[in-house]
Each structure stands twice: as C-alpha cells, then as structure tokens.
Amino acid sequence: MYTIKNYHFAESVDEAAALLQKSRANTVLGGGTWLRLGERNIATAIDLSHLGLDQITETEEEITLGAMVSLRALEQSTLLQTQFGGLLARCVRHIVGVQFRGLATVGASVASRYGFSDVITALLALDTEVELCPGGRLPLAAYLQQPPARQLLVAVHIKKDGCTAVHTSHRLTETDFPVLAVAAARCKDGSFRISVGARPAVAQRCPQAEQAAEANGPEAAGEAAAEMLQFGSNTRSSAEYRKVLAKVLVTRALTELAEKESLAR
Amino acid sequence: MELHLTLNGKPVSKTIAPDASLLNFLRECGCHSVRSGCDTGNCGICTVWVDGQPLLSCAYPAARAEGKNITTLEGVKAEADELIRYMAEEGADQCGYCSPGFIMAVLGMKRELQNPTEKEVKHYLAGNLCRCTGYASQTRILQKYLAEVQNNG
C-alpha cells in the first residue's frame, strides 16, 4: 500500500500537469488498483475526479476517451459496443471483475504502459492518439516508445475509420493477467493492424504479420508474428510458449475477423 | 483531512489520513461486514457501492469518497436477508467470509441486469472469489433467486 502526505483534488488539467511536473514524489491517482500493490511514498496525490475526464464522447471523425473513463464504462458503452466491431467494449471482459473495472481507468492503463494491458493492446490495433498536457497529441505507438516523461495523459482519441477489430488472449485463469494478448483490425482498404501485447512487454504492431495477412491469410500472419516479435519469460509463462501462443492467437484473431466480415455482408 | 459523506443513508464526518482506504474507513465507522480478503484487489470480498456502483473498497481512496453515497451490507439489510434465505436453503455459503461481498455484488447485479442468462450472471460475478463452495451452490440459488425476485419485484 502507498502513503500520501497531501491528497489534492486538481481544479484544472493545467494545475494537475504542473503538480505532476513539480516533483517526482507527486503521483496522479487512477483507480488505485496498481498503486495499492506497491509501497510508493507519495508527496501529493493528484486526484482528477473533478475535471470531467470520465466521459466517452464522439465527433464525426473520432471517439474520445477521457483519462478517467473506467474500464467498466468502456464495457458498458453502447457506442463502443458498436464501433470497431465492439473491440474496446470486449477487450476488458477478462480483467478481474466488474468492481475492479469500475475503478481502473483508461488513462492509468495507457500512461503506465503496462505490458499486460489488454487496453493498450486493443488501442494499438486502432488509429489511436494520446493527448498529453503539456505536449498535445501524438500517436499511441510513438508514446509507448518514448521514455516516460512527467506529462499528464488527458485523453485518448481514436479515429472513426470504419475498421472491424477483435481481441483475444490466453490466460491461466479466466480473470488473470494475460499470458499473451492479441488485437487485430481489418481496415476499409483491406489492410490489417495486428497488435500483440503481454509479451510480457507492452503491445507492439507487427508489420510483417500485417503484410502476410493481406497476402497469404491468417496462418501466414501468425507465423510471421511468432517469428518477428520479441518474447520474454516471467512467472506466468516462458518466451518459447509465448512464441507458440502468438502464432495461434494471431491466426485465431484473423480467422474470427474473416468470419465477422462474411457475416456482415 | 476531513471527510464528509453519506453512509447507508446517514451523514458521516470524520478526520482521515490522506492515504486511508475506503475499506479501513468503513470498518472504523462500524461497518464490519466490509472485509479484506486478498490484499491484491482481486477477490471482491470488500465490495461496497459508491453512488450505487459496486467497487472494491480496498483500492478506493477514502478521500475520493467526499460527498458520495456509500452503501454497505449494513445498509441493505432487508434485501440482503431475502437473498440469504435462498443461500441458507441450499447451503450456498460455508465459512461465510466471502458472503458480504458476494451479496453486495448480487444486489448490484440485480439492479443492473434484467433477466440475465447464466453466462451473464457468471461474468458479472467473476470478480467475487470463494474458497469454500466451488460456486455450484451459489449458481443454483441465483437462478432461483433472480427468477422469483425479478418476477415479483
């Protein structure tokens, strides 16, 4: 569990961002579900609850998830159940339980760059940008590659590009962290976006698998993903098993996508 | 710091440490139905409602509950007793430690889902762990309870 010297409800995004930059001992609170597992000594805990960041909104071009949108809100959103093949509503279904998902936030999942994150894995298969303060917008892939800087993640923006997407994972039990997570999207121009996460490292796209999917189909894509991505070992699984899983899960995800598409016609 | 909220319908004002968990705060207020089961935020035993939503009180910062309505088992006694009768008839609980969290989750589910399928019930309750029962007895009573209560309610 953590300790906190000063609990502060931020009164604006700029104020929260300034507090975060002021000291390494200041921490933004998401749902508290990861922080409680550690022993951090927090000087000022920055609570974003009063900033209206818990909204899912849409324009003609994009869908915006505020940083404080809970994973449960993703799941229950009728908008997200129909967009992108329902990817974002479904990708959280295995995460612990409804109570946990009611706490955990999109912003904390993305800003923490958790390797195990189903949310990041899914977002990376969409046309996603993060919005930072300070800093503005940049693509999620670029954000994940940068070393963490003390920028406040305010929102996640996803372009409404008409893609269909699926998420699948392997887990030791139904509600555990994933051993490997895969999200795959088929874009309107026929191209694919394939994202593999919990490797155990954070999700990455696999261009070779995406090209193979378009040229040669699901199994070739699965083989390419297993071949080209890096996997590691941890308490949940070995690198070798993750490599095997990558082939299977990518193949399955693409097969499911093809079935979805033929049903939709 | 000062915390003001509504607990089971009554206003409460207390001084809390900035890092207090809602779970510890509620137990200090006398709500001993709220228990810590795992220390890792995954068992669901500490489930309470914050503004009607089932959440894990072990991870929820007490300070964040400022101005909110908190409901524990102590605040839904009559409704809980009805569910407990169904549980008792089937021997659906053994040690009873998980029961408060389970009941708060079931009553929350009853409010959120209309005529859920067994699959939907299991998905909703996946975050409530039980070391004793293997879940079969709980699943049995829930089918009966939801059928009878949702038809009468």
Side-chain angles (χ1 to χ4, degrees):
Chain A
M1 200 55 183
Y2 46 78
T3 64
I4 296 175
K5 287 212 179 84
N6 174 37
Y7 194 102
H8 179 73
F9 285 97
E11 287 163 27
S12 72
V13 167
D14 286 334
E15 191 212 7
L19 275 172
L20 185 58
Q21 300 234 299
K22 191 167 168 195
S23 166
R24 308 190 100 256
N26 294 350
T27 302
V28 176
L29 299 182
T33 49
W34 182 258
L35 272 178
R36 72 169 313 281
L37 299 178
E39 309 247 331
R40 196 183 291 212
N41 295 317
I42 300 169
T44 295
I46 306 162
D47 190 310
L48 307 178
S49 300
H50 294 175
L51 302 181
L53 295 176
D54 59 348
Q55 299 298 304
I56 301 171
T57 56
E58 102 177 285
T59 65
E60 280 212 29
E61 287 84 34
E62 65 182 22
I63 287 175
T64 297
L65 312 175
M68 290 298 283
V69 166
S70 72
L71 304 194
R72 183 72 179 142
L74 288 186
E75 191 178 12
Q76 294 182 301
S77 158
T78 44
L79 171 63
L80 294 179
Q81 283 161 13
T82 54
Q83 284 286 333
F84 318 120
L87 174 74
L88 292 177
R90 285 190 50 77
C91 73
V92 296
R93 64 197 183 280
H94 293 300
I95 300 174
V96 188
V98 297
Q99 308 94 319
F100 184 100
R101 300 197 288 280
L103 294 172
T105 63
V106 171
S109 298
V110 176
S112 306
R113 299 168 169 86
Y114 299 131
F116 53 74
S117 174
D118 294 287
V119 173
I120 295 179
T121 304
L123 286 172
L124 197 61
L126 301 175
D127 187 346
T128 304
E129 287 187 330
V130 299
E131 180 185 338
L132 306 170
C133 177
R137 292 170 63 147
L138 82 159
L140 175 61
Y143 179 69
L144 294 175
Q145 271 156 23
Q146 280 176 0
R150 297 187 70 74
Q151 293 163 292
L152 181 67
L153 193 141
V154 177
V156 170
H157 301 278
I158 307 138
K159 190 157 164 216
K160 283 159 73 172
D161 63 0
C163 72
T164 299
V166 299
H167 164 275
T168 186
S169 65
H170 179 67
R171 304 166 117 85
L172 299 181
T173 63
E174 182 76 3
T175 56
D176 194 12
F177 292 100
V179 169
L180 196 79
V182 167
R186 184 108 206 246
C187 308
K188 277 172 114 166
D189 64 359
S191 64
F192 291 88
R193 289 186 294 246
I194 298 172
S195 164
V196 181
R199 300 175 290 117
V202 76
Q204 271 188 350
R205 295 268 301 274
C206 185
Q208 298 88 345
E210 291 164 4
Q211 282 150 30
E214 215 176 335
N216 295 317
E219 278 214 41
E223 276 164 13
E227 186 60 36
M228 300 308 297
L229 289 170
Q230 305 293 312
F231 304 98
S233 302
N234 66 1
T235 51
R236 282 186 173 75
S237 187
S238 68
E240 290 82 359
Y241 192 55
R242 286 194 163 97
K243 194 171 154 112
V244 170
L245 283 176
K247 180 181 166 191
V248 172
L249 294 184
V250 167
T251 306
R252 265 191 212 161
L254 293 171
T255 308
E256 193 188 329
L257 258 184
E259 280 165 8
K260 261 182 128 155
E261 283 186 304
S262 65
L263 283 173
R265 280 200 216 103
Chain B
M1 58 190 290
E2 290 302 305
L3 179 62
H4 315 92
L5 49 74
T6 303
L7 175 56
N8 296 324
K10 297 199 171 72
V12 169
S13 291
K14 261 181 179 272
T15 305
I16 59 161
D19 43 39
S21 69
L22 184 60
L23 186 156
N24 286 338
F25 173 79
L26 292 172
R27 288 187 63 82
E28 281 165 24
C29 289
C31 295
H32 297 141
S33 72
V34 188
R35 298 165 175 156
S36 172
C38 68
D39 245 3
T40 50
N42 75 84
C43 74
I45 278 171
C46 67
T47 301
V48 302
W49 300 346
V50 178
D51 287 343
Q53 183 183 11
L55 296 176
L56 303 174
S57 60
C58 67
Y60 193 98
R64 181 173 282 177
E66 176 67 32
K68 296 201 189 274
N69 279 299
I70 312 295
T71 314
T72 69
L73 190 67
E74 287 83 352
V76 287
K77 190 169 190 315
E79 207 182 336
D81 282 349
E82 185 183 30
L83 174 57
I84 287 164
R85 273 198 297 280
Y86 282 82
M87 292 171 71
E89 269 176 21
E90 292 275 350
D93 65 336
Q94 294 183 30
C95 80
Y97 198 75
C98 73
S99 295
F102 174 72
I103 292 165
M104 294 309 286
V106 170
L107 298 183
M109 176 180 69
K110 201 179 84 174
R111 284 158 170 74
E112 273 187 53
L113 303 182
Q114 292 310 307
N115 295 313
T117 61
E118 183 176 320
K119 194 170 168 192
E120 286 167 339
V121 168
K122 285 183 169 176
H123 181 254
Y124 194 99
L125 297 177
N128 284 83
L129 304 186
C130 172
R131 289 291 300 224
C132 296
T133 65
Y135 307 104
S137 55
Q138 295 171 352
T139 310
R140 268 199 315 273
I141 65 106
L142 282 176
Q143 289 170 328
K144 255 175 133 175
Y145 170 73
L146 290 171
E148 286 168 29
V149 166
Q150 280 194 326
N151 285 332
N152 296 337

